[in-house]
Amino acid sequence: MNLNQALLLCGQMVSLGLFLSGVEFLRISSKPEVHRVWSPEILRLEFKRSLPAPDVFKRWLASKGSLRQLALAEMILAVAALISPSAPMYLALFVVHFFICLRFRGTFNGGSDQMFLQVLLSLSIGFGFYKSGLGKWALVYLAVQLLYSYFKAGLSKLKSPSWRSGLAVSSFLKASPYRLELKGRIERNTQLLRLGSWAVIVAEILMPLSAFNLRAAFLFCGAALLFHLVNVGLFGLNRFFWAWLSAWPAVFYITTLL
Amino acid sequence: MFNFNAFLNLIRVLFPRWSFFDQVETVVIVEAKPQGGQAWVSLSSESKPAVGALLYNAETNLSHAYENILREFLRDLQPHLTGEASLAQDDLDRMISFRQVTEWTRQRFEAFEVSSGRSGFLFQFRLKSSEGEIFFVSHEIHSQTPRVSDSLGDAR
């Protein structure tokens, strides 16, 4: 995969992911309870102490209408970026998604917001400085962020006795927002918990090997897809799936450099 | 008054740390009871996974966002839970996370009121772990009061 192909594929995946995110935010912006928990009053208080920006911007961002406007902007820009990928498009998407995060006092879904912004930042630089050689380093940066995210998660799990025994998986299942019969069955099967836990730990720790070999990259990308799909099924983390998937072409690209 | 640490916290999404699993988080359960009531009612709810959740999962993602507010409130409460600081009304009023958690419990409790045919009374909420450890018990809060600045609570 060459630089151009990798940039285009990353761009298509992140555009799709952010279009879906925009649709979700549009639905969320229509819920009255959302505007009570993240009310203009609460947000004005937050922005007063933490956002060094003009008052007119802070008033707009704290308003009820801003979330709907930002959701629509994210959807339109995502479609535009899909049709015509370019640095200004991804930069605009970066700004809009960042404003949405500010609207939720920093982040909406944590890690997926962070990864979306990392992908958009890399694409803005990648497309903007394609000819100067900086584009290559933007994708290297993205691949490092992606592989490090798995490695760090794996290392943390390896250090934790509850992850090594599989008990942590049971705790995470209890925190799932879903009512699943499967949950109870998995929780009771200690062997399965330990096996699943170690499979995730080993895969995550070894994930950086993807950078050195195309076959390894395919293998680990497949494992990562499976892992993220299981997370969608058990925890509903669909945003993580799209955010992490959109960064994987950067890994395929760096296998050609090393 | 501008606070630089609050600013860094607001823009934390720009500095990825990938620390999802550094700690196994406790499952937090939110319960509430009306004034004079004896039984605590769980306000947490589970949903069925939706077909097509890979493409569209607004409700579940919103529930994850609410969960994050609960965790932020517990983090803000931590110095009071460990006895490093006392907890007064002013402390709670200053906690934006407390205001958000209160508003969330209020709307969940409103739904409970509708289902039980009651309206407009005081209630308390508490946060506890799935193992039964109680982290926080609020003082009485009006179920329909839009402002929360007169609310009180105790860290336990």
Side-chain angles (χ1 to χ4, degrees):
Chain A
M1 187 176 284
N2 62 35
L3 178 61
N4 190 44
Q5 289 169 328
L7 283 170
L8 284 174
L9 198 54
C10 277
Q12 286 164 351
M13 298 308 298
V14 81
S15 298
L16 180 58
L18 286 172
F19 175 78
L20 297 171
S21 156
V23 173
E24 289 186 349
F25 280 129
L26 195 62
R27 173 72 186 117
I28 286 165
S29 72
S30 70
K31 288 176 167 287
E33 65 264 30
V34 170
H35 297 293
R36 287 173 58 180
V37 176
W38 288 276
S39 68
E41 184 194 13
I42 283 172
L43 291 173
R44 275 198 294 273
L45 201 67
E46 171 69 67
F47 296 155
K48 189 179 170 186
R49 66 172 191 168
S50 63
L51 191 60
D55 283 345
V56 64
F57 173 73
K58 288 195 267 195
R59 268 200 304 276
W60 167 73
L61 196 58
S63 71
K64 286 183 182 175
S66 67
L67 183 58
R68 182 181 162 80
Q69 290 157 12
L70 287 166
L72 284 168
E74 186 160 89
M75 288 165 63
I76 293 166
L77 283 168
V79 173
L82 205 58
I83 296 165
S84 172
S86 65
M89 287 292 177
Y90 295 116
L91 199 57
L93 268 172
F94 179 92
V95 171
V96 166
H97 198 74
F98 179 55
F99 284 177
I100 290 174
C101 290
L102 294 182
R103 182 65 177 63
F104 285 98
R105 297 187 54 233
T107 179
F108 179 67
N109 272 166
S112 62
D113 289 328
Q114 291 177 348
M115 187 56 91
F116 272 136
L117 290 179
Q118 292 303 306
V119 176
L120 291 169
L121 179 69
S122 303
L123 288 173
S124 302
I125 297 169
F127 278 100
F129 300 93
Y130 182 79
K131 287 176 184 167
S132 70
L134 204 59
K136 177 175 96 175
W137 292 107
L139 280 195
V140 171
Y141 167 80
L142 183 58
V144 169
Q145 285 289 347
L146 179 77
L147 296 176
Y148 178 64
S149 72
Y150 289 116
F151 179 75
K152 188 165 187 284
L155 199 62
S156 298
K157 289 180 186 125
L158 188 63
K159 287 178 185 168
S160 160
S162 60
W163 269 103
R164 292 197 302 270
S165 66
L167 284 174
V169 181
S170 175
S171 295
F172 274 92
L173 282 171
K174 279 187 189 134
S176 164
Y178 289 150
R179 186 173 52 245
L180 294 165
E181 278 181 38
L182 192 69
K183 254 172 34 175
R185 262 184 263 163
I186 297 173
E187 276 174 34
R188 284 189 295 274
N189 193 334
T190 52
Q191 271 190 321
L192 182 68
L193 288 175
R194 194 178 295 120
L195 189 70
S197 199
W198 273 102
V200 172
I201 291 170
V202 170
E204 286 185 332
I205 295 270
L206 296 179
M207 205 69 85
L209 293 176
S210 306
F212 302 99
N213 183 284
L214 190 60
R215 278 187 193 169
F218 272 111
L219 181 75
F220 283 112
C221 182
L225 278 181
L226 184 67
F227 172 71
H228 290 298
L229 280 173
V230 169
N231 280 336
V232 174
L234 291 178
F235 305 103
L237 299 171
N238 64 327
R239 285 166 178 255
F240 280 77
F241 177 87
W242 293 107
W244 261 256
L245 187 70
S246 61
W248 264 98
V251 176
F252 288 108
Y253 169 65
I254 65 166
T255 58
T256 63
L257 302 178
L258 296 171
Chain B
M1 187 66 77
F2 178 69
N3 180 318
F4 189 67
N5 286 333
F7 168 65
L8 288 179
N9 187 51
L10 187 69
I11 61 165
R12 64 190 180 279
V13 73
L14 298 178
F15 312 107
R17 292 168 60 227
W18 315 125
S19 53
F20 317 116
F21 301 105
D22 286 0
Q23 285 180 324
V24 178
E25 304 263 18
T26 312
V27 178
V28 185
I29 296 167
V30 187
E31 294 180 327
K33 69 170 183 177
Q35 184 186 33
Q38 298 296 315
W40 290 91
V41 180
S42 174
L43 298 182
S44 306
S45 62
E46 288 182 327
S47 57
K48 277 190 171 179
V51 177
L54 184 62
L55 301 176
Y56 176 83
N57 211 9
E59 304 295 334
T60 308
N61 282 318
L62 188 58
S63 74
H64 284 304
Y66 288 140
E67 176 88 17
N68 288 340
I69 292 172
L70 286 178
R71 296 202 180 283
E72 187 192 348
F73 176 52
L74 285 180
R75 274 196 300 276
D76 289 344
L77 212 56
Q78 198 60 33
H80 307 287
L81 292 170
T82 54
E84 290 168 39
S86 59
L87 187 66
Q89 179 180 356
D90 284 352
D91 298 318
L92 277 173
D93 281 346
R94 273 195 293 272
M95 281 183 203
I96 295 177
S97 58
F98 171 69
R99 289 173 176 236
Q100 289 192 288
V101 168
T102 303
E103 203 49 57
W104 181 79
T105 54
R106 180 177 279 127
Q107 57 171 285
R108 296 304 294 256
F109 203 72
E110 273 177 20
F112 170 78
E113 281 183 66
V114 170
S115 63
S116 62
R118 302 174 70 178
S119 65
F121 58 95
L122 298 169
F123 77 100
Q124 285 179 279
F125 73 87
R126 70 179 184 184
L127 307 183
K128 67 172 198 177
S129 72
S130 55
E131 288 78 32
E133 185 189 356
I134 295 168
F135 302 122
F136 177 82
V137 182
S138 78
H139 285 194
E140 285 178 337
I141 294 165
H142 198 282
S143 64
Q144 291 184 332
T145 310
R147 290 177 183 275
V148 294
S149 57
D150 57 348
S151 304
L152 283 165
D154 293 324
R156 297 290 159 94

